[in-house]
Amino acid sequence: MEQEHKRRVRYKGTHPRSYQEKYKELNPERYQEDVEKILRSGKTPAGMHRPICVTEILSFLDVQPGQIGLDATLGYGGHSRKLLECLQGQGHLYATDVDPIESEKTKARLAGLGYGPELLTVRRMNFAQLDQVAPGVRFDFVLADLGVSSMQIDNPERGFTFKQDGPLDLRLDPTAGVPASQRLKELDREELAALLWENADEPYADQIAKAIFHKVKRGGGIHTTKELAQVVESTLDFLPPAERKEGVKKACQRTFQALRIDVNSEFEVLYAFLEKLPLVLKPGGKAAILTFHSGEDRLVKKSFQALCRQGIYTEVSRQVIRPTPQECAQNPRARSAKLRWAIRGEDPADHVCKEEEEA
């Protein structure tokens, strides 16, 4: 039976606004010229993610053919692709990701580029389980990019963005745990305020927490991203008109960030990752971690410095490494990125830590 032809949904104006209407951006293989034009304009096409600090990461890791490595946060696969290119068909790259939706897409995309199971193993697991990725194997290099991928942020069905309406979910793995809408029902006012302050340094944490708590208790919950954004906006109506738009935008970003960190237990996961990291590195093995907010960066910095003083790492990055101004201009989502690295010692007793305390 001949399948009925369906016309593409048309959008108003000259450019698509909703995620679903951006059919060219969501099909980069078919509309390569259009996607490249968007990239040149400094924007990230919907459904894609641009890897950050690639030059700096590759310069430090210095990946050689025949090595065995781990990309602990596969995402769209931009970093993995570059690491695989460095391996030149020799050695092996393992990769992990908890997102069942995007990890399968990325695995297929990389396989289409010639990186099949003989070169790449993708495991769907949390990166805190890095000691279970390849039992008995110690890695020459490990990379972790702690940022949320652009394709997750841009898709309103995932609940990461307040710019478009969608379910208030925020889970990196939508098949596990509870969505943010449910989590808000479990928290009292004081817990909410602490969460907003500790996870995102939100200056209006008390006011926003009070408004969210009363909305949930009186109205039966907050179920969509727009509902939460509206609560934040109405809470900050005391801001001067000239400051209100930008103030609300920043507060929404921080509120969504704080909830996402809580829903996915991101700090607990990072603690576990940092604790196990030296156990899976070969002597002389290198680790690079890319963070995107101050709480993550503090954890990485303190862990690296403490383990360096113990002789477990022989050297750690003396200062945080940031994307170049040129990269930030081309990719605004790189602005908050911070890169730190460490090198595993061969015998802790024989080495002195080479690190410099930061102010």
Side-chain angles (χ1 to χ4, degrees):
M1 185 176 182
E2 187 176 348
Q3 188 174 6
E4 182 182 355
H5 175 70
K6 293 184 178 180
R7 293 180 64 87
R8 189 178 67 245
V9 177
R10 296 189 178 276
Y11 50 83
K12 297 178 181 178
T14 58
H15 295 87
R17 292 182 178 274
S18 74
Y19 180 83
Q20 292 81 3
E21 290 173 338
K22 297 178 180 181
Y23 64 93
K24 291 184 178 180
E25 297 178 41
L26 294 170
N27 291 277
E29 291 82 8
R30 184 175 178 182
Y31 298 99
Q32 189 173 357
E33 290 186 8
D34 298 271
V35 168
E36 288 176 354
K37 182 178 179 181
I38 294 170
L39 290 170
R40 287 195 298 272
S41 71
K43 298 178 181 178
T44 300
M48 288 187 66
H49 181 80
R50 304 174 73 175
I52 295 169
C53 285
V54 173
T55 300
E56 293 82 356
I57 289 169
L58 294 181
S59 176
F60 165 68
L61 293 180
D62 190 26
V63 177
Q64 299 297 314
Q67 289 187 330
I68 300 174
L70 170 66
D71 183 347
T73 47
L74 176 64
Y76 192 77
H79 286 123
S80 282
R81 181 176 178 178
K82 294 297 182 180
L83 295 171
L84 286 162
E85 288 175 0
C86 293
L87 290 176
Q88 298 179 22
Q90 303 173 51
H92 201 85
L93 180 68
Y94 290 85
T96 62
D97 202 304
V98 296
D99 190 327
I101 300 169
E102 296 299 336
S103 61
E104 285 301 314
K105 292 180 183 177
T106 300
K107 182 179 178 180
R109 189 183 308 112
L110 291 172
L113 294 172
Y115 302 117
E118 71 285 355
L119 297 172
L120 173 66
T121 298
V122 177
R123 301 206 187 284
R124 186 188 155 198
M125 58 171 57
N126 196 295
F127 76 132
Q129 302 170 289
L130 74 166
D131 56 331
Q132 301 173 34
V133 173
V137 174
R138 297 180 73 182
F139 301 111
D140 293 288
F141 61 89
V142 173
L143 169 65
D145 175 352
L146 305 186
V148 178
S149 295
S150 295
M151 63 275 188
Q152 294 167 325
I153 296 172
D154 293 337
N155 186 350
E157 295 178 5
R158 302 298 302 272
F160 287 94
T161 178
F162 56 89
K163 296 179 181 179
Q164 296 187 53
D165 203 15
L168 186 60
D169 195 313
L170 289 168
R171 288 175 294 175
L172 295 171
D173 180 358
T175 67
V178 299
S181 56
Q182 176 61 34
R183 184 68 177 130
L184 288 178
K185 296 179 181 180
E186 301 171 354
L187 298 167
D188 61 30
R189 178 178 165 182
E190 290 74 22
E191 289 171 329
L192 269 170
L195 181 151
L196 291 168
W197 175 251
E198 293 170 7
N199 291 0
D201 300 321
E202 173 52 57
Y204 303 112
D206 289 333
Q207 297 95 318
I208 294 173
K210 178 181 178 181
I212 291 174
F213 180 74
H214 287 303
K215 170 71 174 175
V216 171
K217 294 302 178 185
R218 294 174 182 174
I222 298 176
H223 304 287
T224 71
T225 55
K226 282 294 185 184
E227 282 184 77
L228 180 57
Q230 287 166 1
V231 171
V232 174
E233 183 176 4
S234 61
T235 302
L236 301 184
D237 61 359
F238 61 85
L239 292 177
E243 302 174 13
R244 193 172 301 157
K245 182 177 180 181
E246 187 64 18
V248 168
K249 176 185 174 182
K250 294 294 185 184
C252 283
Q253 290 173 340
R254 290 189 290 262
T255 299
F256 274 69
Q257 172 186 296
L259 268 176
R260 190 203 78 225
I261 290 172
D262 178 78
V263 165
N264 295 288
S265 302
E266 292 182 28
F267 285 143
E268 293 84 349
V269 167
L270 182 55
Y271 271 121
F273 174 82
L274 291 169
E275 186 176 70
K276 296 175 182 178
L277 180 57
L279 304 177
V280 303
L281 284 170
K282 288 180 180 179
K286 299 178 178 180
I289 302 180
L290 202 57
T291 64
F292 288 84
H293 63 79
S294 58
E296 289 177 338
D297 180 60
R298 281 194 297 269
L299 289 178
V300 174
K301 174 185 174 181
K302 289 180 179 179
S303 174
F304 279 2
Q305 290 182 341
L307 292 174
C308 191
R309 286 191 288 269
Q310 295 174 34
I312 294 173
Y313 293 130
T314 58
E315 190 173 357
V316 299
S317 47
R318 296 184 177 185
Q319 294 180 339
V320 68
I321 301 166
R322 294 180 177 274
T324 63
Q326 292 81 1
E327 179 172 7
C328 291
Q330 294 172 359
N331 181 11
R333 290 177 178 176
R335 289 172 183 163
S336 59
K338 296 178 180 179
L339 176 66
R340 293 186 186 272
W341 54 259
I343 301 175
R344 180 73 164 91
E346 295 185 13
D347 183 349
D350 294 338
H351 297 278
V352 177
C353 173
K354 300 175 184 177
E355 58 113 353
E356 181 178 299
E357 295 284 352
E358 295 179 59

